[in-house]
């Protein structure tokens, strides 16, 4: 099941700027451990879902998983072998805009080793550099 907004104000959006670092969602707010992005990227909804499945399977229904990102942005694409002109393409998929420092996932209620392994499995699904952070390491 892909994540997408239930309704949006505009069906098609512009690409926008990807400059700068995360100013919000850059601290651990809900869990004890987190997976933090170190690169800027558009994460597709199916990548986020694959991470969620990897984390919850590894935790074996223990603890809680918090997904801190949501794909709000539609990305359009033209059909293959189409000539120029004739307007903008239809929305193909949805992405979450991720800046360096964005907290992607948070985990609570499990040991640090289990959370670290779960985040490592999730990070392999993403294709961007990430790091494992704890609430204590964010304090320092």
């Amino acid at each position: 099941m892909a994540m997408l907004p239930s309704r949006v104000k505009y069906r098609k959006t512009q690409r926008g700027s990807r400059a700068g670092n995360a100013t919000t969602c850059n601290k651990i707010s809900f869990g004890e451990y987190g997976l933090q992005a170190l690169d800027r990227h558009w994460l597709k909804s199916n990548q986020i879902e694959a991470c969620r499945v990897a984390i919850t399977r590894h935790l074996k229904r223990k603890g809680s998983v918090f997904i801190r990102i949501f794909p709000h942005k539609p990305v359009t694409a033209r059909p293959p072998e189409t000539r120029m002109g004739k307007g903008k393409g239809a929305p193909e998929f949805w992405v979450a805009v991720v800046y360096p420092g964005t907290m992607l996932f948070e985990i609570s209620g499990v040991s640090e080793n289990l959370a670290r392994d779960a985040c490592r499995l999730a990070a392999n699904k993403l294709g961007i550099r990430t790091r494992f952070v704890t609430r204590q390491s964010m304090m320092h």
Side-chain angles (χ1 to χ4, degrees):
M1 176 64 196
M3 298 167 69
L4 69 153
S6 53
R7 52 190 298 265
V8 288
K9 190 169 183 180
Y10 298 109
R11 203 165 69 90
K12 301 173 183 177
T13 63
Q14 295 185 336
R15 296 175 74 86
S17 168
R18 278 191 250 187
N21 295 329
T23 54
T24 60
C25 292
N26 55 2
K27 294 179 174 55
I28 294 182
S29 303
F30 303 102
E32 297 297 315
Y33 312 104
L35 187 66
Q36 189 176 39
L38 298 178
D39 294 337
R40 64 190 80 250
H41 199 66
W42 280 354
L43 287 183
K44 288 181 164 184
S45 57
N46 58 353
Q47 290 176 296
I48 299 169
E49 177 66 12
C51 291
R52 183 194 67 78
V53 169
I55 291 173
T56 52
R57 288 229 174 109
H58 189 73
L59 296 184
K60 298 194 174 85
R61 297 181 58 189
K62 296 180 181 69
S64 303
V65 179
F66 303 93
I67 306 172
R68 295 290 306 275
I69 53 176
F70 188 83
H72 288 291
K73 185 184 204 58
V75 177
T76 61
R78 305 295 309 279
E81 299 179 12
T82 307
R83 293 191 177 186
M84 292 291 101
K86 307 276 193 299
K88 190 168 177 168
E92 287 285 311
F93 53 91
W94 295 81
V95 296
V97 181
V98 172
Y99 297 101
T102 302
M103 201 60 64
L104 304 173
F105 298 92
E106 293 183 21
I107 301 173
S108 68
V110 294
S111 67
E112 182 175 343
N113 287 336
L114 194 61
R116 192 179 288 275
D117 285 346
C119 286
R120 179 183 50 78
L121 291 173
N124 289 336
K125 310 272 184 229
L126 289 177
I128 61 172
R129 292 181 309 128
T130 57
R131 70 176 178 179
F132 179 80
V133 291
T134 64
R135 198 178 272 276
Q136 283 74 30
S137 69
M138 296 290 280
M139 299 289 181
H140 301 305

